[in-house]
Amino acid sequence: YVVCLPDYMHKYYPRWPEYTWITKTTRDIIYPYYARHSVLTVADSVQGADDIHTFTNIPAAKIRTIYYVAPSYTYKHKNMTGDEATKILEKYSLPERFIYYPAQFWPQKYHDRLLRALHKTKEAHKVEIPLVVIGDNKGNHARYFKQVMSLAEELGIKNLITHPGYVADIESVALYKKAVALVSPAFQGPTTLPPLEAMILGTPVVTANIFEVPKQVGNSALLF
């Protein structure tokens, strides 16, 4: 068999709440087992391949890098017009102009830092920037979602935040089409998908300068 191993971020950030001791132990047992007994092991990036080699001790010659591409629905709907996007999204009562951040509600997605940046912009420059965030706010995501919304209220910017919930694929494309920019502060890697989606759909990208994200976006994004 061929196995795809997602990432070894738990080695870089073992204190992330997502990585419980059970999760870390399971990854440290199962990932090497899969890698050792596979014909080939697939990584999403050069760093991903290096991490697999480092943390599983399998030969580098047995690892292949296949870079992520945007999901098929991104290509399917990439010619969506602004009017079509407006019609798809009319049920959400969105602000006329907004930045967009599609991410599940996990601490390493750093919604809190994005909110603090919006607050700082409002206080220092008297500019209010509406933000649309999507993602599940139930189950394992409920606790962090509540923390994010509580912080928005504490900072006095809750009126700037719109959360349509977990949206359909075509709605996500429409949100990219209507957004002023994708702003992604996610502290996760080695690579990430939203900038790829945004670039295909013609949405400006502002994202974190970490791991292999700069290689993904090249000169097509603003990095911070």
Side-chain angles (χ1 to χ4, degrees):
Y1 63 84
V2 173
V3 64
C4 300
L5 296 184
D7 64 68
Y8 264 95
M9 288 296 102
H10 68 291
K11 292 293 191 183
Y12 290 90
Y13 305 104
R15 296 186 182 276
W16 274 350
E18 179 193 359
Y19 299 135
T20 65
W21 69 270
I22 295 176
T23 301
K24 288 184 283 190
T25 302
T26 301
R27 280 182 168 215
D28 287 340
I29 293 172
I30 298 219
Y31 279 13
Y33 178 86
Y34 281 156
R36 281 196 302 270
H37 296 284
S38 68
V39 177
L40 287 174
T41 298
V42 178
D44 70 329
S45 58
V46 173
Q47 182 192 326
D50 290 342
D51 286 348
I52 292 170
H53 173 63
T54 299
F55 295 120
T56 68
N57 293 318
I58 68 167
K62 228 177 87 165
I63 305 170
R64 298 290 185 275
T65 297
I66 301 178
Y67 287 97
Y68 282 138
V69 296
S72 58
Y73 64 79
T74 310
Y75 293 92
K76 180 180 178 181
H77 301 295
K78 73 174 185 176
N79 294 322
M80 180 188 296
T81 66
D83 289 342
E84 289 171 336
T86 298
K87 187 172 183 180
I88 290 169
L89 299 172
E90 61 186 1
K91 63 182 178 180
Y92 291 124
S93 300
L94 300 174
E96 183 178 349
R97 289 166 59 82
F98 59 87
I99 60 173
Y100 180 44
Y101 184 33
Q104 285 288 26
F105 283 91
W106 290 318
Q108 69 267 27
K109 297 298 185 180
Y110 278 1
H111 294 79
D112 57 333
R113 295 198 174 192
L114 182 51
L115 295 189
R116 294 186 188 282
L118 295 180
H119 173 255
K120 187 173 183 178
T121 302
K122 178 182 175 181
E123 293 296 304
H125 304 288
K126 311 304 178 187
V127 176
E128 293 189 340
I129 302 176
L131 166 68
V132 175
V133 290
I134 62 168
D136 193 1
N137 61 346
K138 301 178 179 63
N140 294 333
H141 307 288
R143 182 177 179 182
Y144 182 60
F145 174 80
K146 290 179 181 177
Q147 291 176 0
V148 170
M149 292 300 130
S150 295
L151 178 61
E153 188 167 5
E154 176 187 326
L155 295 174
I157 59 169
K158 193 171 184 179
N159 64 307
L160 300 178
I161 314 302
T162 303
H163 176 245
Y166 193 95
V167 302
D169 294 343
I170 193 171
E171 292 175 326
S172 181
V173 170
L175 285 164
Y176 276 113
K177 288 286 188 176
K178 297 298 290 184
V180 173
L182 163 76
V183 181
S184 176
F187 207 66
Q188 195 169 6
T191 58
T192 184
L193 279 172
L196 300 182
E197 295 176 318
M199 288 190 291
I200 288 166
L201 296 171
T203 307
V205 177
V206 184
T207 190
N209 184 13
I210 53 171
F211 301 118
E212 291 215 9
V213 174
K215 290 184 181 180
Q216 279 190 297
V217 299
N219 61 359
S220 299
L222 294 177
L223 300 173
F224 61 86

